């Protein structure tokens, strides 16, 4: 299987090259040259698979330049860090299914992909005898998942910038208590945008970037999407087995369009109608909801909500969907994104809107609705939703077709977002074991002024060469 760019500007490359490239060199995003489909015999075989076995079966369709034995070893290592034997268990609450994606080391769904990506990076770097220094800015959640993805790995150092004292105490502890020698936390005296701007400036310094083999782990990496396809199929198989239903819907709390795009790939992989629609739930940052309901994709200002990992206005994986919406027309995709980078706006006509609405339905869920959903769900089912998951549950309740099962993706453990949960139910959520021991543990963090040169100096002193 080879990978191409949504903008048509690269010759096809194998999986390992696609993982190392991240963003395509022509500015587009990488996608498999063809999308595989599973026939009914294959699906019957998959029915009895454990999560790691299913991951192996699905990855093989997309990764043909790593041997199956090695792939299985990478998968086994990636999911041995999860605390639940089923990795992503499915629970039923009332008339909804909840797919719990938060049993990884940092208690958020990003672990499912980043645990795997870390192991893939390590393998490729060993093979090519090279090194990588990962740099990223975080507003809280992605940073810890990335750190846990590569902690203790050979040939990789990671530098994560977070805004000093502006992430939640738990998020700060999750990052700074990882004291492996290859992990560097930089607390920047400023806000998230300052950190983001510094990282951008460093990546734009090409001599520096090349000298220190800088790498990124952002959500556009194809390996992250691929790893997330697995739990959609896993949930579909389980529900088919349990209820006999062969057609279901998923509700996905969405920011960067990464997780829900994995659902779109799963939908193509499965027989037609198996996933009827994907419910795209947004918080008050409603760019993607406007896209689905009105064909209006125009950037607005970001507002802060209680589901901060979805406080996003440019959905970095959106271009992948657009490429398919345009029938794999790379030239049209390229033109649109050039226009978008200048105007911040794309408009879709009625014909396209009809296709979009066959794939998705959508709702933007406001702050009151989010907290009310947490409260009501807790009262009715004695089950705590985190605010991101609550956005998805609310979206499911409003947009579901009604006659088929709906699976809501639970993207974070409620204890990670204690402030919002406390607001909703009047008491703090109980801390699960991985969060309980953090306070008082040894920690390491460098506090720096928001200055590109200071950060570059720090990296230069601690980078792997
Ligand atoms: C990142 C994140 C999301 C949004 O996922 P996207 O792939 O960016 O759409 C939702 N919930 C939580 C808890 C997250 O960390």
């Amino acid at each position: 299987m080879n990978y191409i760019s949504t903008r048509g500007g690269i010759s096809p490359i194998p999986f390992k090259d696609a993982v190392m490239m991240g963003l395509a060199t022509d500015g587009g995003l990488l996608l498999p040259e063809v999308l595989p489909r599973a026939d009914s015999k294959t699906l019957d075989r998959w029915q009895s698979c454990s999560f790691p076995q299913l991951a192996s079966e699905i990855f093989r369709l997309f990764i043909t330049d790593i041997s199956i034995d090695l792939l299985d070893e990478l998968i086994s290592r990636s999911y041995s860090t999860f605390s639940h034997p089923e990795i992503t268990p499915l629970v039923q609450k009332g008339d909804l299914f909840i797919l719990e994606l938060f049993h990884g080391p940092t208690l958020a769904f990003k672990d499912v992909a980043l645990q795997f990506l870390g192991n893939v990076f390590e393998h490729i770097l060993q093979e090519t005898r090279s090194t990588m220094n990962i740099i990223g800015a975080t507003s809280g959640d992605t940073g810890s998942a990335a750190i846990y993805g590569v902690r203790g790995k050979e040939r990789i150092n990671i530098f994560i910038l977070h805004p000093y004292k502006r992430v939640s105490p738990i998020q700060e502890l999750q990052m700074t208590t990882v004291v492996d020698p290859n992990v560097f936390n930089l607390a920047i005296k400023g806000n998230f945008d300052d950190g983001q701007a510094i990282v951008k400036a460093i990546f734009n310094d090409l001599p520096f970037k090349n000298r220190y083999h800088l790498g990124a782990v952002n959500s556009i990496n194809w390996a992250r999407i691929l790893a997330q396809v697995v739990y959609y199929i896993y949930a579909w198989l389980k529900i088919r087995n349990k209820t006999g239903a062969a057609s279901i819907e998923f509700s996905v709390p969405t920011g960067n369009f990464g997780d829900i795009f994995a659902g779109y790939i799963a939908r193509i992989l499965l027989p037609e109608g198996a996933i009827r629609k994907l419910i795209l739930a947004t918080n008050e940052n409603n760019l993607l909801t406007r896209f689905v309901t009105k064909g209006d994709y125009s950037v607005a200002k970001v507002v802060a909500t209680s589901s901060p990992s979805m406080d996003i206005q440019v959905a970095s994986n959106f271009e992948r969907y657009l490429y398919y919406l345009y029938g794999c027309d790379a030239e049209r995709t390229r033109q649109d994104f050039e226009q978008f980078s200048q105007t911040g706006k794309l408009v879709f006509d009625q014909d396209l809107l009809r296709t979009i609405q066959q794939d998705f339905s959508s709702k933007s869920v406001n702050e009151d609705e989010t907290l009310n959903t947490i409260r009501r769900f807790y009262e009715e089912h004695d089950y705590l939703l985190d605010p991101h998951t609550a956005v998805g549950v609310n979206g499911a309740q409003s947009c579901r077709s009604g006659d088929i099962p709906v699976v809501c993706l639970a993207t974070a453990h409620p204890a990670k977002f204690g402030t919002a949960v406390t607001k909703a139910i009047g008491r703090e959520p109980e801390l699960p074991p991985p969060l309980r021991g953090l306070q008082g543990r040894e920690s390491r963090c460098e506090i720096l002024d928001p200055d590109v040169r200071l950060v570059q100096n720090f990296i230069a002193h601690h980078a792997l060469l």
Side-chain angles (χ1 to χ4, degrees):
M1 173 71 82
N2 278 326
Y3 289 82
I4 46 138
S5 165
T6 49
R7 299 193 191 177
I10 66 163
S11 32
I13 51 173
F15 174 80
K16 283 191 281 192
D17 293 355
V19 169
M20 296 314 275
M21 193 178 276
L23 190 71
T25 46
D26 64 355
L29 300 182
L30 296 164
L31 280 173
E33 216 166 15
V34 286
L35 285 180
R37 280 148 216 263
D39 57 28
S40 62
K41 236 170 69 197
T42 306
L43 292 173
D44 290 343
R45 187 159 47 82
W46 288 357
Q47 189 69 62
S48 56
C49 282
S50 67
F51 184 96
Q53 286 166 344
L54 184 65
S56 171
E57 293 278 339
I58 294 170
F59 290 179
R60 276 176 224 178
L61 304 174
F62 294 90
I63 306 174
T64 47
D65 54 341
I66 298 178
S67 75
I68 291 179
D69 281 352
L70 184 59
L71 203 51
D72 285 348
E73 194 190 312
L74 296 176
I75 290 167
S76 145
R77 233 185 292 148
S78 302
Y79 298 114
S80 67
T81 55
F82 280 61
S83 64
H84 196 287
E86 289 180 65
I87 315 297
T88 61
L90 186 72
V91 298
Q92 189 167 7
K93 297 289 162 191
D95 59 356
L96 294 177
F97 289 93
I98 307 282
L99 183 60
E100 295 184 342
L101 304 175
F102 51 72
H103 295 282
T106 74
L107 308 179
F109 90 97
K110 291 189 172 74
D111 289 328
V112 178
L114 284 166
Q115 287 291 304
F116 177 64
L117 183 63
N119 285 312
V120 171
F121 274 154
E122 185 180 51
H123 162 65
I124 297 173
L125 294 169
Q126 271 165 359
E127 207 173 48
T128 54
R129 296 173 196 276
S130 42
T131 57
M132 176 152 92
N133 293 289
I134 292 170
I135 304 192
T138 186
S139 55
D141 249 13
T142 313
S144 57
I147 287 170
Y148 274 80
V150 303
R151 67 182 297 183
K153 299 247 180 288
E154 283 177 28
R155 298 175 175 273
I156 303 175
N157 278 2
I158 185 165
F159 302 81
I160 294 291
L161 283 64
H162 71 262
Y164 180 55
K165 294 294 171 205
R166 292 193 197 193
V167 296
S168 79
I170 279 187
Q171 286 175 327
E172 182 182 325
L173 285 168
Q174 275 193 306
M175 293 190 278
T176 59
T177 55
V178 181
V179 292
D180 298 67
N182 71 328
V183 173
F184 299 91
N185 279 290
L186 306 179
I188 302 296
K189 289 187 192 157
N191 57 29
F192 168 63
D193 292 334
D194 295 323
Q196 182 102 303
I198 291 171
V199 169
K200 243 190 188 158
I202 293 177
F203 273 104
N204 283 333
D205 181 345
L206 290 183
F208 188 89
K209 178 178 174 223
N210 293 331
R211 176 148 182 220
Y212 295 105
H213 315 278
L214 300 191
V217 286
N218 39 30
S219 75
I220 49 96
N221 197 298
W222 171 256
R224 285 184 64 175
I225 304 285
L226 177 58
Q228 292 166 4
V229 172
V230 178
Y231 48 70
Y232 285 93
I233 313 261
Y234 188 66
W236 180 81
L237 288 166
K238 269 198 159 170
I239 289 180
R240 183 176 74 156
N241 196 36
K242 197 175 154 159
T243 69
S247 184
I248 66 173
E249 289 173 309
F250 285 93
S251 180
V252 190
T254 305
N256 261 322
F257 207 82
D259 202 5
I260 198 163
F261 183 74
Y264 179 78
I265 298 289
R267 186 168 176 266
I268 294 175
L269 207 149
L270 289 173
E272 194 159 344
I275 299 177
R276 187 185 287 172
K277 264 189 200 186
L278 294 159
I279 298 167
L280 189 161
T282 58
N283 62 24
E284 291 177 6
N285 297 288
N286 64 357
L287 164 82
L288 289 165
T289 298
R290 280 184 281 119
F291 164 68
V292 171
T293 55
K294 297 188 220 152
D296 162 30
Y297 188 81
S298 56
V299 176
K301 222 171 116 92
V302 179
V303 298
T305 73
S306 55
S307 45
S309 300
M310 306 185 334
D311 291 347
I312 287 168
Q313 276 293 346
V314 180
S316 49
N317 276 290
F318 180 69
E319 181 167 342
R320 286 190 160 116
Y321 175 68
L322 207 59
Y323 174 81
Y324 290 124
L325 182 65
Y326 289 166
C328 302
D329 185 341
E331 182 51 28
R332 188 170 174 193
T333 309
R334 187 185 64 75
Q335 281 173 8
D336 263 21
F337 273 88
E338 273 172 14
Q339 184 200 325
F340 178 73
S341 69
Q342 285 168 10
T343 61
K345 187 176 170 74
L346 292 172
V347 181
F348 298 86
D349 64 25
Q350 284 303 319
D351 270 358
L352 288 171
L353 193 56
R354 210 165 307 126
T355 309
I356 295 163
Q357 292 179 351
Q358 278 161 10
D359 294 335
F360 304 103
S361 50
S362 185
K363 180 181 177 189
S364 162
V365 179
N366 70 29
E367 285 292 280
D368 277 350
E369 291 171 314
T370 304
L371 297 186
N372 282 335
T373 303
I374 295 176
R375 181 181 321 117
R376 256 204 347 261
F377 212 81
Y378 180 63
E379 286 166 3
E380 285 171 18
H381 306 295
D382 196 22
Y383 185 88
L384 263 184
L385 305 169
D386 103 286
H388 303 78
T389 307
V391 167
V393 165
N394 187 293
Q397 287 163 340
S398 300
C399 299
R400 66 182 298 177
S401 304
D403 54 340
I404 56 172
V406 187
V407 179
C408 298
L409 270 50
T411 52
H413 190 288
K416 280 196 90 168
F417 298 93
T419 313
V421 171
T422 307
K423 248 197 212 165
I425 65 162
R427 64 164 187 82
E428 287 191 28
E430 211 174 301
L431 291 186
L435 297 182
R436 243 177 265 160
L438 289 180
Q439 200 91 47
R441 203 182 285 173
E442 180 190 1
S443 69
R444 197 153 57 83
C445 183
E446 186 79 13
I447 301 161
L448 290 177
D449 283 323
D451 177 335
V452 177
R453 287 255 286 288
L454 284 177
V455 176
Q456 280 186 313
N457 261 339
F458 184 91
I459 293 169
H461 274 104
H462 297 92
L464 286 173
L465 285 176

